Amino acid sequence: SQTIHQWPATLVQPVGSPLSLECTVEGTSNPNLYWYRQAAGRGLQLLFYSVGIGQISSEVPQNLSASRPQDRQFILSSKKLLLSDSGFYLCAWSGTKNNYGYTFGSGTRLTVV
Amino acid sequence: EDQVTQSPEALRLQEGESSSLNCSYTVSGLRGLFWYRQDPGKGPEFLFTLYSAGEEKEKERLKATLTKKESFLHITAPKPEDSATYLCAVQFSGGYNKLIFGAGTRLAVHP
């Protein structure tokens, strides 16, 4: 069966520090991968999506970047964090040939101080 | 502009008190409408996918329906364990499987 792993679960980082969040998927090949951010009391905002290795599409201009170095690995990064980067970050995957929606990871709570 | 709006923002029910959550959408070429449940501090959990107007799906105390402009999530005789945030999302033609989410409805069921 397919599983998605996301870590760390919580992270407290100072302003100006770098960021690296990792997401890996098991049990499937060539998934579509997504990074979402959820601000407190708000809906999910799509940040990046990827349909293949090295293929990244950005939905909103921001202080973050994403990379997909391997088929089932998706990384969210920042060189210098801002206070506004605080939030709940979710990784998700979907199949390319079906429409069963997304499977989400457990999320990372990022607090920039 | 493609948009998904959920109402109410929050809902408080007594155990056993049935109600409905609404999700209205404005997208071109709907491919699917999805309902998720999200518990605090966790990722959303998939509930239903609806593809065409008139379609209905059921799971335990939950029933989702779809029209051309909106979807309803009906909760029959809810229990405290149904307390969560319920998210609606739509997928549209040409959207590369992207989902656009509503802000969610926070449901609290009290004994």
Side-chain angles (χ1 to χ4, degrees), chain A residues 15-44:
Chain A
V15 169
S17 64
L19 173 73
S20 181
L21 302 181
E22 188 163 344
C23 172
T24 59
V25 180
E26 296 179 355
T28 186
S29 59
N30 196 30
N32 291 334
L33 296 172
Y34 311 86
W35 279 110
Y36 278 85
R37 178 169 58 201
Q38 187 174 33
R42 300 183 65 180
L44 277 68

Tab-separated table of all heavy atoms in Angstrom, chain A residues 15-44:
chain	number	residue	atom	x	y	z
A	15	VAL	N	14.177	33.835	12.612
A	15	VAL	CA	14.115	34.607	11.369
A	15	VAL	C	15.500	34.635	10.721
A	15	VAL	O	16.515	34.802	11.397
A	15	VAL	CB	13.632	36.039	11.659
A	15	VAL	CG1	13.809	36.930	10.441
A	15	VAL	CG2	12.173	36.035	12.093
A	16	GLY	N	15.531	34.441	9.421
A	16	GLY	CA	16.788	34.499	8.691
A	16	GLY	C	17.497	33.160	8.564
A	16	GLY	O	18.488	33.051	7.817
A	17	SER	N	17.006	32.141	9.242
A	17	SER	CA	17.644	30.828	9.157
A	17	SER	C	17.112	30.060	7.949
A	17	SER	O	16.045	30.374	7.422
A	17	SER	CB	17.386	30.032	10.438
A	17	SER	OG	16.011	29.764	10.585
A	18	PRO	N	17.850	29.038	7.500
A	18	PRO	CA	17.380	28.235	6.358
A	18	PRO	C	16.344	27.209	6.789
A	18	PRO	O	16.176	26.924	7.966
A	18	PRO	CB	18.660	27.559	5.860
A	18	PRO	CG	19.504	27.451	7.086
A	18	PRO	CD	19.198	28.658	7.915
A	19	LEU	N	15.663	26.645	5.777
A	19	LEU	CA	14.622	25.656	6.033
A	19	LEU	C	14.738	24.511	5.038
A	19	LEU	O	15.024	24.732	3.846
A	19	LEU	CB	13.240	26.289	5.888
A	19	LEU	CG	12.045	25.325	5.974
A	19	LEU	CD1	11.830	24.855	7.405
A	19	LEU	CD2	10.772	25.978	5.425
A	20	SER	N	14.514	23.310	5.517
A	20	SER	CA	14.403	22.150	4.632
A	20	SER	C	13.390	21.182	5.221
A	20	SER	O	13.608	20.629	6.295
A	20	SER	CB	15.763	21.467	4.463
A	20	SER	OG	15.635	20.349	3.588
A	21	LEU	N	12.276	20.997	4.522
A	21	LEU	CA	11.265	20.020	4.901
A	21	LEU	C	11.242	18.926	3.843
A	21	LEU	O	11.264	19.224	2.653
A	21	LEU	CB	9.880	20.664	4.992
A	21	LEU	CG	9.717	21.837	5.953
A	21	LEU	CD1	8.265	22.334	5.924
A	21	LEU	CD2	10.124	21.466	7.356
A	22	GLU	N	11.178	17.692	4.294
A	22	GLU	CA	11.254	16.577	3.356
A	22	GLU	C	9.985	15.728	3.379
A	22	GLU	O	9.352	15.544	4.414
A	22	GLU	CB	12.472	15.713	3.657
A	22	GLU	CG	12.734	14.646	2.611
A	22	GLU	CD	14.137	14.073	2.702
A	22	GLU	OE1	14.992	14.692	3.355
A	22	GLU	OE2	14.348	12.992	2.121
A	23	CYS	N	9.652	15.216	2.218
A	23	CYS	CA	8.467	14.383	2.044
A	23	CYS	C	8.839	13.224	1.125
A	23	CYS	O	9.448	13.446	0.069
A	23	CYS	CB	7.353	15.220	1.440
A	23	CYS	SG	5.886	14.311	0.931
A	24	THR	N	8.487	12.004	1.521
A	24	THR	CA	8.747	10.853	0.655
A	24	THR	C	7.486	9.997	0.558
A	24	THR	O	6.704	9.917	1.506
A	24	THR	CB	9.906	9.990	1.156
A	24	THR	OG1	9.602	9.531	2.475
A	24	THR	CG2	11.199	10.780	1.182
A	25	VAL	N	7.319	9.379	-0.582
A	25	VAL	CA	6.164	8.532	-0.843
A	25	VAL	C	6.658	7.116	-1.115
A	25	VAL	O	7.668	6.934	-1.792
A	25	VAL	CB	5.360	9.056	-2.040
A	25	VAL	CG1	4.145	8.171	-2.307
A	25	VAL	CG2	4.925	10.490	-1.801
A	26	GLU	N	5.935	6.146	-0.594
A	26	GLU	CA	6.273	4.745	-0.819
A	26	GLU	C	5.102	4.011	-1.458
A	26	GLU	O	3.945	4.359	-1.244
A	26	GLU	CB	6.620	4.060	0.504
A	26	GLU	CG	7.859	4.604	1.191
A	26	GLU	CD	8.138	3.911	2.516
A	26	GLU	OE1	7.314	3.073	2.933
A	26	GLU	OE2	9.169	4.207	3.144
A	27	GLY	N	5.415	3.014	-2.254
A	27	GLY	CA	4.383	2.148	-2.785
A	27	GLY	C	3.743	2.617	-4.075
A	27	GLY	O	2.729	2.063	-4.502
A	28	THR	N	4.310	3.632	-4.716
A	28	THR	CA	3.787	4.092	-5.988
A	28	THR	C	4.937	4.682	-6.791
A	28	THR	O	5.982	4.994	-6.237
A	28	THR	CB	2.687	5.143	-5.792
A	28	THR	OG1	2.092	5.471	-7.056
A	28	THR	CG2	3.229	6.417	-5.163
A	29	SER	N	4.753	4.809	-8.079
A	29	SER	CA	5.787	5.410	-8.904
A	29	SER	C	5.187	6.562	-9.699
A	29	SER	O	3.994	6.583	-9.997
A	29	SER	CB	6.390	4.370	-9.858
A	29	SER	OG	5.385	3.828	-10.691
A	30	ASN	N	6.045	7.533	-10.009
A	30	ASN	CA	5.660	8.701	-10.775
A	30	ASN	C	4.417	9.411	-10.225
A	30	ASN	O	3.495	9.743	-10.969
A	30	ASN	CB	5.417	8.326	-12.244
A	30	ASN	CG	5.395	9.549	-13.144
A	30	ASN	OD1	6.050	10.547	-12.869
A	30	ASN	ND2	4.595	9.495	-14.200
A	31	PRO	N	4.396	9.662	-8.921
A	31	PRO	CA	3.232	10.377	-8.375
A	31	PRO	C	3.311	11.867	-8.701
A	31	PRO	O	4.392	12.408	-8.948
A	31	PRO	CB	3.367	10.152	-6.880
A	31	PRO	CG	4.850	10.070	-6.671
A	31	PRO	CD	5.395	9.366	-7.888
A	32	ASN	N	2.156	12.526	-8.676
A	32	ASN	CA	2.146	13.985	-8.618
A	32	ASN	C	2.336	14.358	-7.151
A	32	ASN	O	1.727	13.750	-6.266
A	32	ASN	CB	0.811	14.541	-9.116
A	32	ASN	CG	0.618	14.340	-10.602
A	32	ASN	OD1	1.567	14.232	-11.365
A	32	ASN	ND2	-0.635	14.277	-11.020
A	33	LEU	N	3.186	15.346	-6.901
A	33	LEU	CA	3.485	15.739	-5.525
A	33	LEU	C	3.153	17.209	-5.314
A	33	LEU	O	3.289	18.022	-6.241
A	33	LEU	CB	4.961	15.487	-5.211
A	33	LEU	CG	5.400	14.009	-5.262
A	33	LEU	CD1	6.911	13.906	-5.130
A	33	LEU	CD2	4.711	13.223	-4.169
A	34	TYR	N	2.735	17.536	-4.110
A	34	TYR	CA	2.247	18.881	-3.806
A	34	TYR	C	2.762	19.328	-2.442
A	34	TYR	O	2.885	18.519	-1.516
A	34	TYR	CB	0.714	18.909	-3.778
A	34	TYR	CG	0.050	18.255	-4.975
A	34	TYR	CD1	-0.186	16.888	-4.984
A	34	TYR	CD2	-0.341	19.000	-6.088
A	34	TYR	CE1	-0.789	16.277	-6.082
A	34	TYR	CE2	-0.948	18.403	-7.178
A	34	TYR	CZ	-1.165	17.038	-7.169
A	34	TYR	OH	-1.762	16.438	-8.244
A	35	TRP	N	3.011	20.630	-2.312
A	35	TRP	CA	3.225	21.274	-1.023
A	35	TRP	C	2.104	22.304	-0.822
A	35	TRP	O	1.884	23.165	-1.682
A	35	TRP	CB	4.564	21.992	-0.950
A	35	TRP	CG	5.732	21.114	-0.650
A	35	TRP	CD1	6.749	20.762	-1.476
A	35	TRP	CD2	6.014	20.479	0.609
A	35	TRP	NE1	7.640	19.940	-0.832
A	35	TRP	CE2	7.222	19.753	0.449
A	35	TRP	CE3	5.381	20.448	1.865
A	35	TRP	CZ2	7.798	19.005	1.472
A	35	TRP	CZ3	5.944	19.712	2.872
A	35	TRP	CH2	7.138	18.998	2.688
A	36	TYR	N	1.445	22.199	0.340
A	36	TYR	CA	0.412	23.156	0.718
A	36	TYR	C	0.820	23.819	2.034
A	36	TYR	O	1.544	23.235	2.850
A	36	TYR	CB	-0.938	22.466	0.941
A	36	TYR	CG	-1.737	22.202	-0.307
A	36	TYR	CD1	-1.509	21.060	-1.064
A	36	TYR	CD2	-2.743	23.072	-0.714
A	36	TYR	CE1	-2.261	20.804	-2.209
A	36	TYR	CE2	-3.499	22.828	-1.849
A	36	TYR	CZ	-3.253	21.699	-2.588
A	36	TYR	OH	-3.995	21.441	-3.714
A	37	ARG	N	0.314	25.044	2.251
A	37	ARG	CA	0.459	25.706	3.538
A	37	ARG	C	-0.938	26.050	4.045
A	37	ARG	O	-1.799	26.489	3.279
A	37	ARG	CB	1.294	26.983	3.434
A	37	ARG	CG	1.424	27.732	4.754
A	37	ARG	CD	2.468	28.825	4.667
A	37	ARG	NE	2.182	29.778	3.613
A	37	ARG	CZ	3.100	30.581	3.060
A	37	ARG	NH1	4.347	30.526	3.475
A	37	ARG	NH2	2.754	31.423	2.134
A	38	GLN	N	-1.087	25.858	5.343
A	38	GLN	CA	-2.376	26.166	5.972
A	38	GLN	C	-2.122	27.142	7.105
A	38	GLN	O	-1.491	26.796	8.109
A	38	GLN	CB	-3.023	24.884	6.504
A	38	GLN	CG	-4.428	25.062	7.018
A	38	GLN	CD	-5.059	23.731	7.392
A	38	GLN	OE1	-4.379	22.814	7.839
A	38	GLN	NE2	-6.376	23.601	7.192
A	39	ALA	N	-2.608	28.367	6.951
A	39	ALA	CA	-2.508	29.348	8.026
A	39	ALA	C	-3.629	29.069	9.025
A	39	ALA	O	-4.643	28.444	8.690
A	39	ALA	CB	-2.622	30.761	7.464
A	40	ALA	N	-3.447	29.544	10.241
A	40	ALA	CA	-4.408	29.282	11.319
A	40	ALA	C	-5.813	29.714	10.911
A	40	ALA	O	-6.022	30.854	10.512
A	40	ALA	CB	-3.975	30.005	12.588
A	41	GLY	N	-6.765	28.759	10.988
A	41	GLY	CA	-8.152	29.077	10.685
A	41	GLY	C	-8.449	29.331	9.227
A	41	GLY	O	-9.522	29.828	8.893
A	42	ARG	N	-7.539	28.958	8.356
A	42	ARG	CA	-7.742	29.220	6.929
A	42	ARG	C	-7.602	27.937	6.134
A	42	ARG	O	-7.175	26.900	6.632
A	42	ARG	CB	-6.749	30.267	6.443
A	42	ARG	CG	-6.874	31.582	7.172
A	42	ARG	CD	-5.921	32.619	6.616
A	42	ARG	NE	-6.246	32.965	5.234
A	42	ARG	CZ	-5.555	33.844	4.524
A	42	ARG	NH1	-4.517	34.441	5.038
A	42	ARG	NH2	-5.904	34.101	3.286
A	43	GLY	N	-7.959	28.010	4.884
A	43	GLY	CA	-7.896	26.853	4.008
A	43	GLY	C	-6.475	26.559	3.554
A	43	GLY	O	-5.522	27.250	3.918
A	44	LEU	N	-6.339	25.529	2.764
A	44	LEU	CA	-5.034	25.120	2.264
A	44	LEU	C	-4.673	25.918	1.014
A	44	LEU	O	-5.469	26.006	0.079
A	44	LEU	CB	-5.049	23.634	1.911
A	44	LEU	CG	-4.836	22.647	3.058
A	44	LEU	CD1	-6.011	22.662	4.005
A	44	LEU	CD2	-4.587	21.269	2.514
